[in-house]
Amino acid sequence: MEKVSTPDICDDHESSLRVLDSIFNNYGGNKQFFGEVVTVKCHEDNSLVKEQANQPGEGKVLVVDGGGSLRRALLGDMIAEKAVANGWAGFVIFGCIRDCDEIAALKLGVKALNTIPLKTDKRGIGDLNVAVTFAGHTINPGDWIYCDNNGIVISETKLPE
């Protein structure tokens, strides 16, 4: 699947999808992206986000449940650049990012609630590959996520090309 169209995906697979509430903004250079889900649950500490961005992404999408906090950025340009270098397709962040202009220039999909210039503390606190719930739905590790300017949809399995 080269091009993602969430309206077309919904037309073809509506009964098997979860459509997240429309609360996210696009920040990455790739406005359309998809991949298998890896989850991180953290609050104002992006230690696990940074750790995962440094791992091989293999076209996956890191879904970060930051508790909806608008007080600290869970992604910045340096972590985003590492993610690109390591083959991640993108990020969906229930929280904020920073360095939005630099991130917009990267070949990476990034959806987040908003921006803020403050970085997080690094306390090493968070959970990897646990079910996360936000924007009206639960997202599980291994689900598939499809994102574009129209929204975000989740499938339990990879959709046909």
Side-chain angles (χ1 to χ4, degrees):
M1 183 179 299
E2 298 254 334
K3 189 171 181 178
V4 174
S5 169
T6 58
D8 290 348
I9 291 170
C10 287
D11 289 350
D12 294 341
H13 305 281
E14 182 177 357
S15 64
S16 64
L17 299 175
R18 289 165 277 157
V19 179
L20 297 190
D21 294 344
S22 295
I23 58 174
F24 295 92
N25 296 302
N26 260 329
Y27 293 103
N30 290 352
K31 302 301 182 196
Q32 302 171 341
F33 62 101
F34 72 99
E36 187 177 358
V37 169
V38 174
T39 64
V40 167
K41 186 170 187 171
C42 58
H43 184 73
E44 298 181 5
D45 179 346
N46 69 349
S47 300
L48 278 178
V49 175
K50 181 178 181 179
E51 181 181 297
Q52 288 305 299
N54 284 315
Q55 302 298 316
E58 301 169 345
K60 295 179 181 177
V61 175
L62 193 62
V63 175
V64 181
D65 181 356
S69 174
L70 302 176
R71 298 185 307 199
R72 298 287 175 164
L74 295 173
L75 178 69
D77 62 338
M78 294 188 329
I79 294 174
E81 287 169 358
K82 284 287 188 186
V84 171
N86 287 313
W88 288 88
F91 291 82
V92 173
I93 299 176
F94 186 54
C96 287
I97 69 162
R98 67 188 210 157
D99 303 313
C100 62
D101 294 327
E102 293 82 357
I103 289 173
L106 298 175
K107 291 188 179 282
L108 184 71
V110 177
K111 293 258 196 185
L113 296 180
N114 216 321
T115 61
I116 191 163
L118 294 171
K119 66 181 179 178
T120 69
D121 292 328
K122 305 283 190 290
R123 300 182 311 270
I125 298 172
D127 297 303
L128 178 64
N129 280 328
V130 297
V132 296
T133 302
F134 57 81
H137 293 282
T138 298
I139 304 165
N140 298 295
D143 282 348
W144 282 77
I145 192 163
Y146 299 84
C147 308
D148 67 6
N149 284 327
N150 296 289
I152 302 171
V153 298
I154 308 292
S155 173
E156 289 182 8
T157 59
K158 184 178 182 182
L159 298 174
E161 301 283 325

